[in-house]
Amino acid sequence: MCGIVGMISYRKVSSLLLEAIKKLEYRGYDSVGMACLHEGSLEIRKDIGKIADVDSKVDFTSMEGTSGLAHSRWSTHGAATKINAHPHSNMEKSISLVHNGIIENHHELREMLVKKGYQFSSQTDTEVIVHLIDSYYRGDLREAVSLALKKIDGSYSIGLLCSQHPDILIAARKDSPLIIGIGKKENFIASDVPAILSYTKKVIYLENEEIAVVKRDSAQVFDLDGKERKKEVHMIKWSTEKAEKRGYDHFMLKEIYEQPDVISETVEGRIGDESIDLSSEMKMSAADIKGIKRIIIVACGTSWHAGLIGEFMIEELAKIPVEVEYASEFRYRDPILERETLVVAISQSGETADTLAAIREAKKKKAKILSIVNVVGSSIARESDMVLYTKAGPEIGVASTKAFTSQLVVLYLMTVYIGAVNGSIVTDQVKNRVRDIRLIPMQIRSILEEADHVELHAKKFFTKENALYLGRGINYPIALEGALKLKEVSYIHAEGYPAAEMKHGPIALIDKNMPVVVVATQDNRTYKKVLSNIQEVKARGGVVIAIETKGDTETKKYVDHNIYVPKNSYILSPLLASIPLQLFAYYIALLRKHDPDMPKNLAKSVTVE
Ligand code: F6R
């Protein structure tokens, strides 16, 4: 995920672009760059690092010109280096281009362009687009862009300037957001509304496969065949502060709602119609994968809960024994690691000190380290032998939501990939597993559509001071995660337990003042047992809120309150069950008048031991 801003104006644009791109830093921050068109030539300045650091090095605001582009990058293809930072240029430096998205056929296009004599200076898929446009350019810039985009498979939003056409800025999109801002004697393009809200509140939303020709006093939109489209201009009513949250009241809620898109982004480029391929990221030969005898997962907090679910997935599908360790305990335990042990570190921030220390300990013992990390270029990513990025985009709310579900998705992809390579999963089953994960974004959307139902339940329970969360099998870690979310943002004391363990102690706490949240989704393993556990609670006067499978008519006979989620495979059921529990915690925090984005005593990245 990257941030794009462009501007064509009557005034110097560099400082305005700089302010605008800072508003999109949440979309990516491993490098930043700017192109400005002045007196017939394009100047580009760019470097790795956060926007403020790069600006203090390259001094963006001294760039002259009344049109320009800026980009903040979240690397996908090509490492976070200065050369891979955007904007990218054609060989004559007459075209500058910024891009967000993934060009899936970039290898083929690159080979074709190299044969034609094009020289590439970066490892990015983006550079392919600019040379491709150059190869079609015969004087009509819009036409050249259309022809190039027709050759591209994948997703893109682009902004482009050409020194031969100083009066236009071109923008286009497919499966990646881009808007046009309509100002007075100046117009804009941006990945997201907050970037331009201090300059204009009037926007046009570009649709897939549309190209905009933006001038100082007009903006026309065309389809890829050059037919003009009439577009509506929308008035944005959000305040600047609200716009950063894309209209949501809190980052936590925005991030909960981003999950369908985040999951699509996490699987994009990794799954085919019937297969999963992580070979370029995992960099292990088939023989090495077959040789994995044991997996140790190290992580903290919510990431540790993802690890517990990963244990179920891996043992069940890839048939490799797994141990899940708190990273903080692992390093002080003198763990026994063999060469055939794969250590998997899970961390949203990639900077958690305990997890970092755990992988350093494992490295000393010569184990191979694979990390599942959200922040590109973070310390854990850099110190690992292999990295699988979760591609959730920056998570700003302190309580982890979208990073957690994207960790589950990556664990699932990794499991199926390893299982297919080591022969534990046969081709037919891989096909079914791919079909199941493809359903998840749509299924999460349907849960989110019923968020107000969860809010009603929150209203019934927000005054309680304790809660118990129960689950079994692969959904036991969801009970832990649901309880953690509630305590983090609402400060209600909550405990997660395996449902059957309840009778060995916590049952003593059950009465009408102790709400019991039970993950009771249907499966052919523990569902019936969970129903018995629910009845044990009811027999002691407890109040039960159950997360149930849509269409289940049995559970509701025993429980007081029902929340429904769609059916998917047992292995993917935690992804769906976690969503209403995130919403439940969020609404309870609001009702108790707490800011869910900034829970007391917590930090987003825990860099101390
Ligand atoms: C809970 C939460 C924390 C983190 C933990 C590990 O909502 O966010 O429990 O999961 O501090 O952080 P990372 O994943 O960055 O290593």
Side-chain angles (χ1 to χ4, degrees):
M1 201 161 80
C2 306
I4 289 178
V5 195
M7 191 170 175
I8 183 154
S9 176
Y10 61 91
R11 49 183 170 157
K12 182 178 156 186
V13 292
S14 52
S15 51
L16 305 167
L17 283 171
L18 182 65
E19 284 317 302
I21 199 68
K22 281 183 186 162
K23 301 267 170 36
L24 298 184
E25 199 161 21
Y26 76 87
R27 297 182 64 84
Y29 38 71
D30 53 44
S31 61
V32 58
M34 194 182 284
C36 287
L37 180 53
H38 182 54
E39 295 178 346
S41 67
L42 279 158
E43 185 192 1
I44 293 182
R45 295 185 193 175
K46 57 185 181 180
D47 213 333
I48 50 169
K50 298 217 163 132
I51 297 174
D53 300 336
V54 176
D55 183 42
S56 65
K57 260 193 269 176
V58 306
D59 189 14
F60 287 123
T61 51
S62 65
M63 292 169 80
E64 295 294 335
T66 56
S67 60
L69 297 164
H71 184 272
S72 65
R73 179 164 186 248
W74 180 267
S75 346
T76 52
H77 290 69
T81 60
K82 182 172 175 177
I83 209 85
N84 288 337
H86 299 214
H88 289 281
S89 308
N90 59 340
M91 284 155 65
E92 285 79 43
K93 313 274 178 242
S94 58
I95 302 175
S96 287
L97 179 127
V98 289
H99 166 228
N100 174 37
I102 293 175
I103 307 303
E104 284 162 11
N105 58 340
H106 72 104
H107 278 303
E108 298 92 293
L109 292 172
R110 184 183 270 250
E111 274 174 26
M112 185 269 285
L113 288 161
V114 168
K115 278 192 196 133
K116 285 189 174 180
Y118 283 90
Q119 284 164 16
F120 282 74
S121 42
S122 77
Q123 288 88 48
T124 61
D125 51 344
T126 302
E127 202 185 339
V128 162
I129 317 175
V130 72
H131 292 311
L132 197 60
I133 293 171
D134 180 283
S135 75
Y136 284 115
Y137 181 68
R138 306 279 179 277
D140 183 337
L141 190 58
R142 185 190 52 73
E143 187 184 59
V145 174
S146 295
L147 290 170
L149 294 181
K150 282 184 179 178
K151 292 277 177 229
I152 283 172
D153 296 333
S155 59
Y156 56 77
S157 51
I158 57 165
L160 175 148
L161 283 172
C162 175
S163 55
Q164 277 118 301
H165 300 268
D167 295 326
I168 59 176
L169 167 64
I170 298 261
R173 70 153 273 183
K174 185 180 163 230
D175 295 332
S176 171
L178 203 68
I179 55 161
I180 304 169
I182 306 294
K184 282 199 185 103
K185 292 193 277 178
E186 59 185 2
N187 289 318
F188 311 82
I189 62 166
S191 306
D192 201 355
V193 171
I196 54 168
L197 211 54
S198 4
Y199 310 135
T200 180
K201 289 194 181 297
K202 288 187 193 166
V203 306
I204 293 172
Y205 293 98
L206 271 190
E207 300 298 331
N208 277 347
E209 304 198 314
E210 285 185 340
I211 298 191
V213 177
V214 183
K215 300 185 178 171
R216 288 176 176 81
D217 54 2
S218 69
Q220 285 173 287
V221 176
F222 301 88
D223 67 16
L224 291 190
D225 294 320
K227 197 157 160 265
E228 189 170 354
R229 290 196 172 160
K230 285 275 150 282
K231 300 290 290 185
E232 198 181 332
V233 177
H234 297 261
M235 277 301 283
I236 301 290
K237 299 201 177 78
W238 308 335
S239 64
T240 312
E241 195 219 343
K242 199 157 179 181
E244 280 174 28
K245 298 177 190 136
R246 294 240 296 285
Y248 292 98
D249 290 332
H250 297 95
F251 283 110
M252 182 177 176
L253 191 63
K254 168 178 167 279
E255 287 157 6
I256 290 173
Y257 273 81
E258 276 174 350
Q259 290 175 107
D261 289 342
V262 159
I263 289 170
S264 300
E265 194 133 341
T266 301
V267 298
E268 190 185 351
R270 288 167 164 164
I271 60 174
D273 288 343
E274 300 187 349
S275 59
I276 293 178
D277 186 7
L278 301 178
S279 52
S280 61
E281 296 165 271
M282 279 193 48
K283 294 184 236 147
M284 283 177 96
S285 67
D288 286 344
I289 290 178
K290 284 181 189 154
I292 302 171
K293 294 274 174 298
R294 190 161 69 116
I295 292 179
I296 297 183
I297 298 179
V298 290
C300 303
T302 288
S303 299
W304 182 76
H305 296 155
L308 292 176
I309 294 168
E311 176 180 22
F312 275 86
M313 292 178 176
I314 298 166
E315 293 200 336
E316 170 136 351
L317 300 180
K319 306 289 179 214
I320 301 171
V322 180
E323 289 154 46
V324 187
E325 303 265 358
Y326 282 118
S328 53
E329 293 296 318
F330 176 79
R331 62 174 303 208
Y332 292 110
R333 212 170 39 68
D334 197 14
I336 299 165
L337 302 174
E338 306 85 18
R339 277 197 167 278
E340 299 82 10
T341 304
L342 176 68
V343 172
V344 176
I346 308 177
S347 174
Q348 182 282 130
S349 61
E351 301 295 345
T352 301
D354 288 322
T355 312
L356 192 57
I359 66 168
R360 286 179 181 156
E361 179 67 27
K363 259 189 143 173
K364 268 199 247 156
K365 303 201 162 171
K366 310 277 182 249
K368 265 219 170 319
I369 318 287
L370 180 149
S371 61
I372 296 176
V373 170
N374 195 38
V375 178
V376 176
S378 53
S379 306
I380 293 174
R382 279 186 278 115
E383 296 196 24
S384 302
D385 301 299
M386 301 159 276
V387 189
L388 292 173
Y389 285 112
T390 43
K391 303 188 188 174
E395 191 177 63
I396 296 176
V398 168
S400 188
T401 53
K402 63 175 182 170
F404 172 67
T405 43
S406 64
Q407 287 166 350
L408 298 185
V409 170
V410 170
L411 283 161
Y412 179 80
L413 297 178
M414 181 189 90
T415 300
V416 180
Y417 175 67
I418 292 179
V421 174
N422 75 12
S424 307
I425 309 180
V426 295
T427 317
D428 237 31
Q429 284 172 8
V430 173
K431 200 164 93 186
N432 295 342
R433 299 288 168 197
V434 169
R435 182 205 55 208
D436 294 345
I437 190 78
R438 280 192 194 284
L439 286 175
I440 291 289
M442 188 190 69
Q443 293 185 315
I444 295 183
R445 253 180 222 115
S446 76
I447 299 172
L448 295 171
E449 276 162 19
E450 286 169 23
D452 46 356
H453 180 69
V454 179
E455 190 177 6
L456 283 181
H457 289 307
K459 285 184 178 150
K460 288 175 203 144
F461 293 102
F462 78 97
T463 54
K464 303 288 180 194
E465 288 310 325
N466 297 287
L468 192 61
Y469 282 66
L470 304 177
R472 289 188 83 147
I474 201 164
N475 280 304
Y476 148 58
I478 290 299
L480 297 181
E481 176 59 11
L484 180 67
K485 283 291 87 93
L486 188 72
K487 60 187 145 196
E488 277 182 301
V489 297
S490 74
Y491 316 143
I492 291 174
H493 167 239
E495 298 279 351
Y497 260 91
E501 267 299 298
M502 181 192 61
K503 57 185 173 295
H504 299 289
I507 200 163
L509 297 168
I510 300 218
D511 63 20
K512 64 180 178 2
N513 291 316
M514 169 75 104
V516 182
V517 180
V518 186
V519 184
T521 45
Q522 278 175 324
D523 58 59
N524 49 16
R525 320 259 172 108
T526 54
Y527 170 65
K528 288 259 154 54
K529 305 277 176 208
V530 172
L531 290 191
S532 309
N533 300 137
I534 287 175
Q535 286 166 75
E536 288 158 14
V537 175
K538 289 303 301 168
R540 276 131 195 113
V543 181
V544 175
I545 309 151
I547 310 294
E548 299 160 45
T549 304
K550 227 174 209 144
D552 174 4
T553 50
E554 187 63 12
T555 312
K556 70 169 176 225
K557 292 184 194 153
Y558 312 107
V559 308
D560 305 278
H561 305 279
N562 324 83
I563 296 175
Y564 292 101
V565 295
K567 185 154 184 70
N568 201 311
S569 65
Y570 173 67
I571 292 287
L572 285 175
S573 60
L575 264 158
L576 300 173
S578 63
I579 310 292
L581 299 183
Q582 296 170 350
L583 288 167
F584 189 62
Y586 170 79
Y587 289 124
I588 289 190
L590 293 197
L591 289 158
R592 289 170 76 98
K593 310 246 177 299
H594 300 310
D595 179 351
D597 285 343
M598 283 178 228
K600 67 171 193 256
N601 307 336
L602 289 175
K604 187 67 194 155
S605 178
V606 186
T607 52
V608 290
E609 278 189 48

